[in-house]
Amino acid sequence: MTANEQPYDRLREVKQFDDSKIGVKGLVDSGLTTIPRFFQHPPNIRSGFLPSSRSKSSYQIPIIDLSNHRTKIIDQIKSASSSLGFFQIINHNVPKQTLNHAISSVKAFNELPTDEKSQYYHRNLGRGASFSTNFDLYQSQAASWRDTLQIRLGPTPPNPGALPEDLELAIVEWDREIKKLGEELMGLISEGLGLEKERLKDMSCLEARTVVGHYYPYCPQPDLTIGISSHTDPGVLTVLQQNEVGGLQVKFDDDWVDIEPVSGALVINIGDLLQIMSNDELKSVEHRVLANPNHNPRLSIAVFFNPSKREELLGPLPELVSAEKPPVYREFMMTDFLKRFFSKELDGKSLTDYYKI
Ligand code: OGA
Ligand code: NI
């Protein structure tokens, strides 16, 4: 370091960027060709972002046709949920128009003039909606190359004015259709576990929903950073819609398997809570999104289904516990679970590990 060089103050850089409210999209629009240092992941981690280690596996994520016979679907979902923890579904009855409208609305929001969009840039989900670069920006070791809208849709909707009206309408419509699908999927999953069809619904697992809309702009140095770091989803179940760009991967035996975009399909995955409730029969599996090397932005919209009853004890369901299958997790309340999730970096399996007996 020369005499007039300042030491690198990471927090100061992060804060300056966050206070600018321009998001990653704003950085890209400014024409930068190298990414700021606080987005760069440490060399031992980013070696896993190189093209050579991007996708080694020839394993395929199953595509399940919901117009098949119910018993067949139940088997296919059970099998995918207890191995990879991920599958795609087609013929799901969610209108194409609802899906297209939601993606185009999230895209249009992210592509608003920066000064207009920055009015919505904040991290306070108290109003029911927030927009920022990485909700864990101040907890993580390195930032990720994406901007995220977060919208709480249950049990109460966002405050009026928290979002542009057309965006809100598109998301509310998307959520209404996807909630019906969520009910269908939870019924199929419950039956696959040998439970009553309404078991998860009765536990209020359809009621607390958070929708996220991610925007992954072009990244000029995709080998140095990531779009979303490897993590598991904390909730019960996730339904995700992605556009045609790709980059989502799921971890399988130490390899990364691509979740190829399939037009009109939805991606479903098991969250930590369902792994715990199923007493480890179903798997909540680590996944990530690579930084986007394409000039076309990558978009995704996901809903996380959670129980709205926050003061009731959760843990392995009694029907799935026996002398041969003793409980793998202790019981806890949703309030404690959420507190733990929001106070940490988006990471691997730390949440389920914490409740392990
Ligand atoms: C998530 C997630 C993947 C994607 O939001 O938890 O894994 O494709 N998103 O954006
Ligand atoms: Ni996820």
Side-chain angles (χ1 to χ4, degrees):
M1 197 189 305
T2 56
N4 56 5
E5 253 182 274
Q6 295 286 314
Y8 181 64
D9 184 345
R10 182 172 192 277
L11 181 61
R12 190 170 153 270
E13 298 277 312
V14 167
K15 201 163 171 347
Q16 202 170 35
F17 163 73
D18 200 33
D19 289 345
S20 78
K21 299 177 182 277
I22 66 170
V24 175
K25 167 83 165 65
L27 286 180
V28 175
D29 289 346
S30 74
L32 93 182
T33 52
T34 56
I35 68 173
R37 183 162 152 189
F38 64 87
F39 282 99
Q40 298 182 17
H41 287 243
N44 61 324
I45 306 237
R46 73 188 189 221
S47 61
F49 308 160
L50 294 172
S52 56
S53 54
R54 279 185 174 206
S55 186
K56 281 184 262 173
S57 179
S58 55
Y59 204 87
Q60 300 257 317
I61 305 288
I63 297 178
I64 300 177
D65 185 341
L66 290 196
S67 67
N68 276 333
H69 279 296
R70 190 172 173 86
T71 45
K72 181 169 178 189
I73 306 170
I74 290 175
D75 279 353
Q76 289 179 321
I77 290 184
K78 174 74 191 295
S79 151
S81 305
S82 38
S83 52
L84 266 175
F86 269 79
F87 52 95
Q88 302 210 55
I89 52 170
I90 52 171
N91 292 322
H92 43 60
N93 286 333
V94 178
K96 241 194 163 104
Q97 196 195 332
T98 305
L99 297 178
N100 292 343
H101 187 209
I103 282 278
S104 63
S105 302
V106 172
K107 182 167 190 284
F109 173 80
N110 279 278
E111 293 174 358
L112 282 172
T114 307
D115 55 344
E116 211 175 306
K117 190 176 54 173
S118 64
Q119 295 170 27
Y120 294 95
Y121 189 103
H122 66 85
R123 300 177 176 279
N124 174 13
L125 203 54
R127 280 185 256 162
S130 72
F131 173 67
S132 65
T133 297
N134 305 182
F135 83 82
D136 62 346
L137 187 66
Y138 292 98
Q139 282 94 27
S140 63
Q141 300 288 312
S144 300
W145 203 253
R146 74 170 194 290
D147 297 326
T148 299
L149 260 169
Q150 223 179 322
I151 306 160
R152 192 195 55 216
L153 276 155
T156 48
N159 295 2
L163 291 173
E165 200 182 346
D166 48 346
L167 174 63
E168 174 156 1
L169 288 173
I171 295 295
V172 165
E173 164 69 10
W174 186 90
D175 171 66
R176 195 179 62 221
E177 290 293 338
I178 301 283
K179 187 184 173 195
K180 287 191 248 169
L181 174 67
E183 179 167 356
E184 167 90 27
L185 290 167
M186 284 190 204
L188 294 160
I189 292 170
S190 297
E191 285 191 50
L193 288 169
L195 302 166
E196 294 287 330
K197 185 176 166 202
E198 314 261 280
R199 186 67 165 96
L200 296 171
K201 185 186 177 189
D202 289 345
M203 288 179 72
S204 77
C205 293
L206 286 158
E207 295 316 312
R209 299 179 306 288
T210 300
V211 171
V212 293
H214 299 297
Y215 188 92
Y216 301 87
Y218 162 70
C219 181
Q221 293 180 301
D223 296 347
L224 301 187
T225 190
I226 192 133
I228 195 167
S229 44
S230 180
H231 68 281
T232 58
D233 293 349
V236 175
L237 191 74
T238 305
V239 177
L240 179 135
Q241 176 189 359
Q242 58 175 338
N243 76 345
E244 69 288 356
V245 173
L248 175 59
Q249 301 186 315
V250 50
K251 201 171 190 175
F252 183 66
D253 289 342
D254 285 331
D255 280 348
W256 290 99
V257 182
D258 289 318
I259 305 193
E260 305 277 359
V262 172
S263 175
L266 292 164
V267 179
I268 314 298
N269 68 286
I270 304 299
D272 295 340
L273 281 177
L274 193 47
Q275 174 173 328
I276 291 172
M277 291 192 282
S278 74
N279 205 24
D280 270 354
E281 275 207 52
L282 307 184
K283 303 284 186 266
S284 170
V285 177
E286 285 188 57
H287 51 286
R288 68 179 187 182
V289 177
L290 297 169
N292 179 12
N294 306 288
H295 283 275
N296 212 5
R298 175 172 191 274
L299 280 122
S300 64
I301 306 178
V303 64
F304 307 110
F305 287 100
N306 277 295
S308 61
K309 295 179 181 165
R310 292 197 178 181
E311 312 293 330
E312 286 183 12
L313 282 174
L314 286 169
L317 296 174
E319 302 94 308
L320 302 177
V321 172
S322 62
E324 298 80 56
K325 288 186 186 166
V328 183
Y329 301 96
R330 54 203 164 80
E331 292 188 309
F332 53 87
M333 276 195 291
M334 199 57 199
T335 35
D336 182 65
F337 184 84
L338 289 174
K339 200 168 72 203
R340 264 168 223 293
F341 176 74
F342 283 110
S343 60
K344 72 178 183 67
E345 173 172 14
L346 198 56
D347 65 4
K349 298 285 299 177
S350 65
L351 210 53
T352 36
D353 287 346
Y354 179 80
Y355 293 106
K356 227 167 213 152
I357 289 176

